[in-house]
Amino acid sequence: HYGTIYGVYSLFQGITGGIGPPIFGYIYDTARSYYLAFIASIVLYSIAIAFILIVKRPKPRQIAPSN
């Protein structure tokens, strides 16, 4: 399952790495502070941690006996 997990992780990392800086810049331009951006990041990281803790471990594959 490593490839699937890494692929999904990389997808979201790429998306957030691309849209994060412009969003932080917009928040700084409108609020003249990064405070709201950091608070939003903490909230989103907290939600991500909750999802990680909720996900169940996949069942191991059953290997068929060889004849």
Side-chain angles (χ1 to χ4, degrees):
H1 299 284
Y2 178 77
T4 302
I5 294 168
Y6 187 75
V8 171
Y9 169 77
S10 295
L11 172 69
F12 285 106
Q13 183 183 18
I15 291 170
T16 56
I19 64 172
I23 291 173
F24 266 57
Y26 176 77
I27 291 172
Y28 180 80
D29 288 343
T30 56
R32 293 291 176 214
S33 171
Y34 286 112
Y35 181 77
L36 292 175
F38 288 131
I39 295 298
S41 294
I42 291 169
V43 170
L44 292 173
Y45 276 121
S46 300
I47 292 169
I49 289 169
F51 281 133
I52 289 169
L53 295 174
I54 290 171
V55 172
K56 294 181 182 178
R57 183 179 294 255
K59 293 181 182 178
R61 292 184 183 182
Q62 296 293 331
I63 299 174
S66 60
N67 293 332

